[in-house]
Amino acid sequence: MNTDILFADNLDDMISGSFDRYCTHALCREGEASFLMTGEWFRMRKGDCVIFTHNELISKIEISDDFQVTVLYISNSFSFKNIPRNDYDVIGKLTLLRNPIMSLTEREQRIFMEDIELIRRRLTDHTHRFHDELIGCLAKTFVLDLYDFHARIYESPSVSEQNAVLMERFINLLKAGDYRNHREVSYYASRLCITPTEVCKKASGFTANYWIDRFTISRITHLLSDKNLTLKEISDNMNFSSLSFFSRYVQRLLKVSPSEYRNGNLIA
């Protein structure tokens, strides 16, 4: 069974942790869904495409009764081997980390569905002598279409190759979990042998601290959802020097205290 490419008609399992090594591509066909990503609420409606490059950053999903969605999961390892890797890939992912929603035209929605249905149909055809290469090409076509949709909405990025590569290395350190113990820019400067603040600003429009905070608060909201953990345990898990410092950090980013967040008193 191929586990690199998976299909679904719901988002139920996405925040279970079992899909953290996948990129999620979803098209809302009816209704709407709200989700919390890195401490911010987003809402997808009919015709919206959502791309989650880091599923672990999503902590809550709320759907309407009439919500219908088509979902394609592509594993990170499969993407690395088959998906075009260029400056646009890096900058596009950064844009999606800030806002993962793209509102598609009717034509783009048809292309999205046609691409997915073609992958679905050919995925089970193992009589093809070049099956793996074929599926890789179809997945590449799908992603290139997504690039095209993204370029229409955000226009082509203008970032140097060097900055794009450095930004990707910085994000990869965060994705690996370094933020749990290191939230100071100086640490990443020593790992990357550059000062990441200026690179981040040029490549994404945001500072290095912005991206560190985004990954950190996402992990914190996940931990706060587990009511078996005390606030002290969460604070220690994230290597904060004290519970009071942890509380101030959460208050600054979420505008509510850890206890208020846990009790559902969120500012949407």
Side-chain angles (χ1 to χ4, degrees):
M1 178 182 175
N2 188 308
T3 58
D4 285 321
I5 295 181
L6 300 171
F7 305 90
D9 58 6
N10 60 67
L11 297 172
D12 295 350
D13 296 326
M14 203 197 69
I15 59 174
S16 65
S18 56
F19 285 93
D20 284 356
R21 298 185 181 275
Y22 287 78
C23 181
T24 302
H25 313 81
L27 178 67
C28 178
R29 304 194 319 275
E30 292 291 343
E32 61 181 47
S34 298
F35 54 89
L36 192 63
M37 185 179 84
T38 59
E40 297 181 41
W41 279 103
F42 297 87
R43 179 174 296 169
M44 65 183 299
R45 299 177 175 87
K46 181 178 179 179
D48 286 347
C49 165
V50 170
I51 303 176
F52 298 124
T53 56
H54 302 280
N55 292 337
E56 65 273 20
L57 298 182
I58 312 301
S59 55
K60 290 181 182 291
I61 298 178
E62 299 175 356
I63 64 172
S64 63
D65 292 338
D66 59 342
F67 180 63
Q68 295 181 30
V69 67
T70 295
V71 184
L72 174 66
Y73 295 105
I74 300 179
S75 74
N76 293 338
S77 58
F78 183 88
S79 294
F80 185 83
K81 290 185 294 183
N82 295 281
I83 302 307
R85 296 181 62 79
N86 51 35
D87 294 353
Y88 199 93
D89 177 62
V90 175
I91 304 308
K93 287 178 179 177
L94 292 177
T95 305
L96 293 170
L97 278 172
R98 298 200 304 266
N99 182 1
I101 298 176
M102 296 191 294
S103 295
L104 304 188
T105 65
E106 291 186 3
R107 171 183 172 274
E108 290 166 346
Q109 292 173 51
R110 287 195 300 272
I111 291 173
F112 184 101
M113 293 299 298
E114 289 168 359
D115 285 347
I116 285 187
E117 288 308 313
L118 184 55
I119 295 172
R120 188 198 302 268
R121 188 166 67 251
R122 302 306 297 272
L123 190 64
T124 57
D125 180 14
H126 293 284
T127 62
H128 198 293
R129 289 180 174 83
F130 305 95
H131 177 267
D132 291 348
E133 291 87 346
L134 172 67
I135 299 304
C137 288
L138 294 177
K140 183 180 294 185
T141 299
F142 174 61
V143 171
L144 288 173
D145 281 334
L146 295 177
Y147 284 179
D148 185 50
F149 304 161
H150 188 276
R152 174 186 64 78
I153 297 170
Y154 294 103
E155 300 183 351
S156 298
S158 178
V159 178
S160 71
E161 181 179 356
Q162 181 183 18
N163 283 342
V165 170
L166 288 171
M167 189 69 197
E168 183 176 32
R169 288 173 57 197
F170 173 56
I171 292 296
N172 285 340
L173 288 175
L174 293 175
K175 187 176 182 182
D178 287 23
Y179 63 88
R180 298 184 188 184
N181 295 310
H182 305 284
R183 286 177 288 277
E184 64 285 353
V185 174
S186 59
Y187 165 81
Y188 298 93
S190 65
R191 290 292 306 273
L192 299 171
C193 299
I194 53 98
T195 301
T197 299
E198 185 176 351
V199 171
C200 291
K201 195 69 175 177
K202 289 181 178 178
S204 70
F206 290 86
T207 66
N209 279 322
Y210 170 88
W211 292 109
I212 295 169
D213 285 345
R214 296 281 69 73
F215 277 80
T216 302
I217 202 62
S218 178
R219 178 61 181 169
I220 288 173
T221 55
H222 268 294
L223 294 173
L224 286 172
S225 297
D226 184 354
K227 295 191 176 182
N228 291 319
L229 296 173
T230 67
L231 297 183
K232 180 65 165 58
E233 288 172 331
I234 295 173
S235 175
D236 291 343
N237 179 279
M238 296 298 296
N239 199 39
F240 281 91
S241 58
S242 68
L243 181 57
S244 61
F245 183 63
F246 166 73
S247 297
R248 289 197 300 272
Y249 183 89
V250 173
Q251 180 78 42
R252 176 172 65 84
L253 292 179
L254 297 182
K255 310 305 179 187
V256 294
S257 69
S259 297
E260 288 172 327
Y261 179 91
R262 173 167 276 179
N263 293 330
N265 299 324
L266 306 179
I267 298 177

